[in-house]
Amino acid sequence: MNTITRLVVYAIVIMTFATAQAQETKVDSTKTANHYKIEALEDLKAKIEKEEREFLKQEIEAINQRLDAKQITAAKAEELKKEAAAKRAANIENRMAIIDNKIALLARNESGYETNDNSGGYFSISFGNDDNESKSIRVGKKNKPRKYDRRTTTDVVFAIGFNNTLIDEVSLDDSPYKLAGSGFIELGYAWKTRIFDNTNFWRLKYGFSFQWNKLDIKDNNYLVNTDGDISLQEFPSDLNKAKFRTTNLVFPVHIEFGPSKKIEKENYFRYSTYQKLKIGLGGYAGFNIGSMQKLKYKEDGNRVKDKQRGGFEVNEFVYGVSGYVALGGVALYAKYDLNPLFKDQAVDQNNISIGFRFDMD
């Protein structure tokens, strides 16, 4: 009985909703497709005027910055402002005329014309059917005035190279980890900001990165956790591969310095460090977000891949020093973890990495 009652309620709700939708469709069908397009174009006219005024505001701000920097006189600044105002007024007039013509075209015709406005720096792809139902995809970027002074730029950070650990009284040649098989990868995002107003010699570079540090264990050994004591022990059978990897999320900060070239244009200026010497010194701090030991061996003639995640007493808090030297688009990069790899151990091991970094502009 309850099932029948629910079905009746569902049917009433569906019929009520369908009736309301039918009434709404009937009311809306009194308007043609072109009527909606005309309404959209009328709204677009207000947006055009607002957009051009915003462009004018940005241009005047750039002119004032040039005036404050004593690159132009007050008379020249006033002249440039009048020219910018006249240009934007003409833009509004021309773009409004285009929209008015499109509205007139739609008003005379019931269908058959597409009137996408591309004056804002977009291009449109329209598709539809014979019932005049169409949809548009607007793709592109507004052609905004170039910012007069851009003090901050951004880069994707990518670095790759060799990784190992420094152990007290143990040379790298005697390291328990292979030199060739151990490596690191870093991937992140960085901002670079000019520190002083009138020189680009000193810059602050900061951001976030994911670091993957891998150690290739040699001599058929593998890492074992014995009541919190992390040690290398011989594997009971022949190991084909034994690797240990940590994954860190860190937030690097570097002071970068070096010469740059100033490029001055009428409406903007930039500092370029292209093909210039760049030196960065700083450090990083963050968190360990994962650790894994990967073992490959044969057991009873079968290949076994064993992935052991966590449980290696890795330090959760990561911090260290790093630096790079670049001449052009590639930098020689080094980083060193000041925190031991494993916590509360009799002998500390600290990750050290040397490689190449590819975020140099």
Side-chain angles (χ1 to χ4, degrees):
M1 187 69 181
N2 288 337
T3 302
I4 296 176
T5 303
R6 284 198 297 269
L7 289 174
V8 171
V9 171
Y10 291 159
I12 294 173
V13 171
I14 292 171
M15 291 176 64
T16 303
F17 180 77
T19 303
Q21 287 291 97
Q23 291 176 348
E24 184 178 353
T25 303
K26 184 176 180 180
V27 172
D28 290 344
S29 65
T30 60
K31 297 182 179 180
T32 66
N34 279 1
H35 181 89
Y36 293 105
K37 294 177 183 178
I38 291 172
E39 287 182 346
L41 289 171
E42 291 289 355
D43 292 338
L44 184 58
K45 289 170 69 175
K47 293 179 181 178
I48 286 173
E49 188 170 355
K50 182 179 178 180
E51 182 181 79
E52 291 291 340
R53 286 178 177 173
E54 181 62 28
F55 290 165
L56 177 60
K57 180 180 177 182
Q58 294 176 18
E59 289 176 341
I60 290 177
E61 182 180 349
I63 293 169
N64 286 334
Q65 288 180 353
R66 294 178 64 191
L67 179 62
D68 293 340
K70 298 183 180 179
Q71 296 176 351
I72 57 176
T73 64
K76 182 64 177 178
E78 191 64 27
E79 178 185 347
L80 292 174
K81 290 177 183 180
K82 289 180 180 179
E83 290 177 359
K87 180 183 72 174
R88 292 302 170 185
N91 287 354
I92 292 174
E93 183 179 353
N94 294 153
R95 294 177 70 183
M96 291 294 190
I98 293 171
I99 299 300
D100 288 337
N101 286 333
K102 290 180 178 180
I103 290 174
L105 181 65
L106 291 172
R108 286 194 303 271
N109 301 276
E110 294 184 358
S111 63
Y113 293 93
E114 292 298 330
T115 58
N116 297 297
D117 175 67
N118 298 326
S119 57
Y122 294 94
F123 68 89
S124 299
I125 301 172
S126 298
F127 55 94
N129 53 35
D130 293 334
D131 297 326
N132 300 320
E133 295 176 356
S134 63
K135 296 181 180 180
S136 296
I137 301 174
R138 303 185 75 194
V139 183
K141 185 179 180 180
K142 289 186 177 181
N143 186 23
K144 290 187 176 182
R146 190 187 296 265
K147 192 173 181 179
Y148 179 68
D149 178 14
R150 181 177 296 164
R151 295 187 64 163
T152 300
T153 58
T154 58
D155 286 300
V156 173
V157 176
F158 177 71
I160 189 169
F162 299 101
N163 184 69
N164 217 288
T165 65
L166 292 184
I167 306 173
D168 288 342
E169 299 182 357
V170 177
S171 67
L172 283 177
D173 290 336
D174 297 327
S175 170
Y177 312 110
K178 298 177 183 178
L179 295 179
S182 303
F184 83 98
I185 293 176
E186 181 173 338
L187 181 64
Y189 199 76
W191 290 262
K192 183 164 65 177
T193 299
R194 188 175 83 245
I195 296 177
F196 299 106
D197 289 334
N198 299 319
T199 176
N200 193 50
F201 189 83
W202 298 96
R203 287 93 65 180
L204 183 67
K205 194 153 191 173
Y206 50 96
F208 64 90
S209 289
F210 291 94
Q211 295 176 346
W212 293 270
N213 299 318
K214 183 182 70 173
L215 296 170
D216 193 348
I217 308 172
K218 60 186 181 182
D219 298 332
N220 207 58
N221 289 328
Y222 73 119
L223 289 170
V224 178
N225 185 346
T226 306
D227 298 327
D229 180 31
I230 306 300
S231 62
L232 287 167
Q233 299 181 15
E234 187 175 357
F235 197 70
S237 60
D238 289 336
L239 274 172
N240 183 39
K241 185 181 293 185
K243 295 181 182 291
F244 180 70
R245 187 186 71 203
T246 57
T247 303
N248 301 325
L249 170 62
V250 298
F251 301 90
V253 177
H254 293 93
I255 293 291
E256 183 182 288
F257 57 93
S260 60
K261 179 181 178 182
K262 188 174 184 179
I263 301 172
E264 296 185 87
K265 300 294 184 180
E266 182 179 355
N267 296 322
Y268 71 95
F269 77 89
R270 295 290 184 268
Y271 287 102
S272 173
T273 57
Y274 178 71
Q275 296 297 332
K276 301 290 186 180
L277 176 67
K278 294 174 279 287
I279 300 174
L281 300 174
Y284 51 90
F287 308 94
N288 173 262
I289 57 176
S291 61
M292 181 183 71
Q293 181 170 240
K294 184 177 181 181
L295 305 175
K296 288 186 178 181
Y297 56 93
K298 283 188 177 181
E299 187 175 68
D300 298 328
N302 298 318
R303 293 181 178 179
V304 178
K305 294 181 181 180
D306 185 11
K307 293 182 179 180
Q308 303 166 353
R309 302 180 187 275
F312 292 99
E313 303 298 322
V314 175
N315 264 309
E316 291 91 356
F317 184 56
V318 179
Y319 58 97
V321 292
S322 56
Y324 54 85
V325 178
L327 183 60
V330 181
L332 182 63
Y333 177 54
K335 62 183 182 71
Y336 175 69
D337 287 357
L338 295 175
N339 63 284
L341 177 58
F342 305 109
K343 59 186 176 182
D344 301 326
Q345 301 298 302
V347 179
D348 289 339
Q349 302 182 43
N350 297 69
N351 259 310
I352 184 169
S353 308
I354 298 176
F356 297 98
R357 181 170 168 142
F358 298 92
D359 64 322
M360 301 297 105
D361 52 0

mmCIF file of all heavy atoms in Angstrom, residues 167-169 228-231 313 340 342-350:
data_model
loop_
_atom_site.group_PDB
_atom_site.id
_atom_site.type_symbol
_atom_site.label_atom_id
_atom_site.label_comp_id
_atom_site.label_asym_id
_atom_site.label_seq_id
_atom_site.Cartn_x
_atom_site.Cartn_y
_atom_site.Cartn_z
ATOM 1 N N ILE A 167 76.347 11.429 5.149
ATOM 2 C CA ILE A 167 76.384 10.701 6.412
ATOM 3 C C ILE A 167 77.722 10.986 7.082
ATOM 4 O O ILE A 167 78.770 11.000 6.420
ATOM 5 C CB ILE A 167 76.223 9.181 6.182
ATOM 6 C CG1 ILE A 167 74.957 8.906 5.356
ATOM 7 C CG2 ILE A 167 76.169 8.423 7.500
ATOM 8 C CD1 ILE A 167 74.807 7.461 4.926
ATOM 9 N N ASP A 168 77.692 11.251 8.365
ATOM 10 C CA ASP A 168 78.923 11.563 9.102
ATOM 11 C C ASP A 168 79.968 10.471 8.893
ATOM 12 O O ASP A 168 79.683 9.259 9.048
ATOM 13 C CB ASP A 168 78.628 11.714 10.596
ATOM 14 C CG ASP A 168 77.876 13.003 10.904
ATOM 15 O OD1 ASP A 168 77.905 13.900 10.044
ATOM 16 O OD2 ASP A 168 77.275 13.102 11.988
ATOM 17 N N GLU A 169 81.190 10.922 8.545
ATOM 18 C CA GLU A 169 82.349 10.048 8.389
ATOM 19 C C GLU A 169 82.164 8.997 7.294
ATOM 20 O O GLU A 169 82.823 7.940 7.303
ATOM 21 C CB GLU A 169 82.684 9.362 9.718
ATOM 22 C CG GLU A 169 83.031 10.349 10.839
ATOM 23 C CD GLU A 169 83.402 9.641 12.131
ATOM 24 O OE1 GLU A 169 83.326 8.401 12.168
ATOM 25 O OE2 GLU A 169 83.757 10.354 13.095
ATOM 26 N N GLY A 228 61.506 1.383 15.609
ATOM 27 C CA GLY A 228 61.857 2.791 15.420
ATOM 28 C C GLY A 228 63.283 3.014 14.968
ATOM 29 O O GLY A 228 63.660 4.152 14.648
ATOM 30 N N ASP A 229 64.098 1.963 14.925
ATOM 31 C CA ASP A 229 65.478 2.080 14.466
ATOM 32 C C ASP A 229 65.520 1.700 12.978
ATOM 33 O O ASP A 229 65.245 0.542 12.627
ATOM 34 C CB ASP A 229 66.384 1.163 15.277
ATOM 35 C CG ASP A 229 67.839 1.248 14.832
ATOM 36 O OD1 ASP A 229 68.242 2.340 14.376
ATOM 37 O OD2 ASP A 229 68.547 0.229 14.915
ATOM 38 N N ILE A 230 65.878 2.655 12.137
ATOM 39 C CA ILE A 230 65.917 2.427 10.698
ATOM 40 C C ILE A 230 67.321 2.016 10.308
ATOM 41 O O ILE A 230 68.298 2.751 10.552
ATOM 42 C CB ILE A 230 65.505 3.690 9.919
ATOM 43 C CG1 ILE A 230 64.136 4.191 10.392
ATOM 44 C CG2 ILE A 230 65.482 3.414 8.428
ATOM 45 C CD1 ILE A 230 63.020 3.191 10.207
ATOM 46 N N SER A 231 67.443 0.852 9.726
ATOM 47 C CA SER A 231 68.770 0.346 9.360
ATOM 48 C C SER A 231 68.698 -0.363 8.013
ATOM 49 O O SER A 231 67.620 -0.765 7.551
ATOM 50 C CB SER A 231 69.292 -0.621 10.427
ATOM 51 O OG SER A 231 68.432 -1.752 10.545
ATOM 52 N N GLU A 313 59.857 6.201 9.784
ATOM 53 C CA GLU A 313 60.304 7.230 10.728
ATOM 54 C C GLU A 313 60.903 8.449 10.009
ATOM 55 O O GLU A 313 61.885 9.038 10.459
ATOM 56 C CB GLU A 313 61.334 6.657 11.716
ATOM 57 C CG GLU A 313 60.850 5.469 12.504
ATOM 58 C CD GLU A 313 59.659 5.801 13.394
ATOM 59 O OE1 GLU A 313 59.637 6.921 13.961
ATOM 60 O OE2 GLU A 313 58.765 4.956 13.526
ATOM 61 N N PRO A 340 67.486 15.836 9.278
ATOM 62 C CA PRO A 340 67.845 14.454 8.935
ATOM 63 C C PRO A 340 66.683 13.766 8.206
ATOM 64 O O PRO A 340 65.512 14.055 8.444
ATOM 65 C CB PRO A 340 68.123 13.807 10.286
ATOM 66 C CG PRO A 340 68.373 14.940 11.226
ATOM 67 C CD PRO A 340 67.527 16.068 10.727
ATOM 68 N N PHE A 342 65.785 10.584 8.483
ATOM 69 C CA PHE A 342 65.058 9.778 9.475
ATOM 70 C C PHE A 342 65.222 10.419 10.857
ATOM 71 O O PHE A 342 66.310 10.872 11.222
ATOM 72 C CB PHE A 342 65.593 8.342 9.511
ATOM 73 C CG PHE A 342 65.577 7.662 8.173
ATOM 74 C CD1 PHE A 342 66.771 7.416 7.507
ATOM 75 C CD2 PHE A 342 64.385 7.283 7.584
ATOM 76 C CE1 PHE A 342 66.774 6.790 6.271
ATOM 77 C CE2 PHE A 342 64.377 6.661 6.346
ATOM 78 C CZ PHE A 342 65.577 6.419 5.674
ATOM 79 N N LYS A 343 64.176 10.449 11.621
ATOM 80 C CA LYS A 343 64.229 11.105 12.930
ATOM 81 C C LYS A 343 64.662 10.126 14.027
ATOM 82 O O LYS A 343 64.434 8.915 13.935
ATOM 83 C CB LYS A 343 62.860 11.704 13.278
ATOM 84 C CG LYS A 343 61.716 10.715 13.321
ATOM 85 C CD LYS A 343 60.387 11.429 13.528
ATOM 86 C CE LYS A 343 59.215 10.454 13.483
ATOM 87 N NZ LYS A 343 57.911 11.142 13.635
ATOM 88 N N ASP A 344 65.318 10.704 15.036
ATOM 89 C CA ASP A 344 65.717 9.957 16.237
ATOM 90 C C ASP A 344 66.582 8.742 15.903
ATOM 91 O O ASP A 344 66.359 7.624 16.401
ATOM 92 C CB ASP A 344 64.477 9.513 17.028
ATOM 93 C CG ASP A 344 63.621 10.681 17.466
ATOM 94 O OD1 ASP A 344 64.198 11.751 17.754
ATOM 95 O OD2 ASP A 344 62.389 10.538 17.508
ATOM 96 N N GLN A 345 67.610 8.959 15.047
ATOM 97 C CA GLN A 345 68.523 7.871 14.690
ATOM 98 C C GLN A 345 69.911 8.141 15.276
ATOM 99 O O GLN A 345 70.289 9.291 15.528
ATOM 100 C CB GLN A 345 68.615 7.727 13.178
ATOM 101 C CG GLN A 345 67.279 7.445 12.501
ATOM 102 C CD GLN A 345 66.660 6.127 12.947
ATOM 103 O OE1 GLN A 345 67.277 5.056 12.801
ATOM 104 N NE2 GLN A 345 65.462 6.189 13.515
ATOM 105 N N ALA A 346 70.678 7.086 15.466
ATOM 106 C CA ALA A 346 72.021 7.235 16.020
ATOM 107 C C ALA A 346 72.936 7.976 15.058
ATOM 108 O O ALA A 346 73.789 8.765 15.475
ATOM 109 C CB ALA A 346 72.599 5.857 16.342
ATOM 110 N N VAL A 347 72.756 7.750 13.757
ATOM 111 C CA VAL A 347 73.553 8.415 12.728
ATOM 112 C C VAL A 347 72.597 9.134 11.785
ATOM 113 O O VAL A 347 71.681 8.514 11.229
ATOM 114 C CB VAL A 347 74.422 7.416 11.941
ATOM 115 C CG1 VAL A 347 75.211 8.139 10.858
ATOM 116 C CG2 VAL A 347 75.360 6.662 12.881
ATOM 117 N N ASP A 348 72.798 10.445 11.613
ATOM 118 C CA ASP A 348 71.921 11.245 10.754
ATOM 119 C C ASP A 348 72.299 11.087 9.288
ATOM 120 O O ASP A 348 73.476 10.968 8.936
ATOM 121 C CB ASP A 348 72.002 12.730 11.128
ATOM 122 C CG ASP A 348 71.325 13.021 12.462
ATOM 123 O OD1 ASP A 348 70.480 12.209 12.879
ATOM 124 O OD2 ASP A 348 71.648 14.058 13.061
ATOM 125 N N GLN A 349 71.271 11.110 8.433
ATOM 126 C CA GLN A 349 71.446 11.138 6.987
ATOM 127 C C GLN A 349 70.670 12.337 6.454
ATOM 128 O O GLN A 349 69.491 12.490 6.768
ATOM 129 C CB GLN A 349 70.917 9.854 6.333
ATOM 130 C CG GLN A 349 71.556 8.580 6.842
ATOM 131 C CD GLN A 349 71.027 7.355 6.117
ATOM 132 O OE1 GLN A 349 70.868 7.358 4.906
ATOM 133 N NE2 GLN A 349 70.741 6.296 6.869
ATOM 134 N N ASN A 350 71.328 13.179 5.678
ATOM 135 C CA ASN A 350 70.693 14.373 5.143
ATOM 136 C C ASN A 350 70.730 14.350 3.614
ATOM 137 O O ASN A 350 71.788 14.173 3.013
ATOM 138 C CB ASN A 350 71.407 15.631 5.649
ATOM 139 C CG ASN A 350 71.316 15.787 7.143
ATOM 140 O OD1 ASN A 350 71.917 15.023 7.891
ATOM 141 N ND2 ASN A 350 70.568 16.777 7.603
#
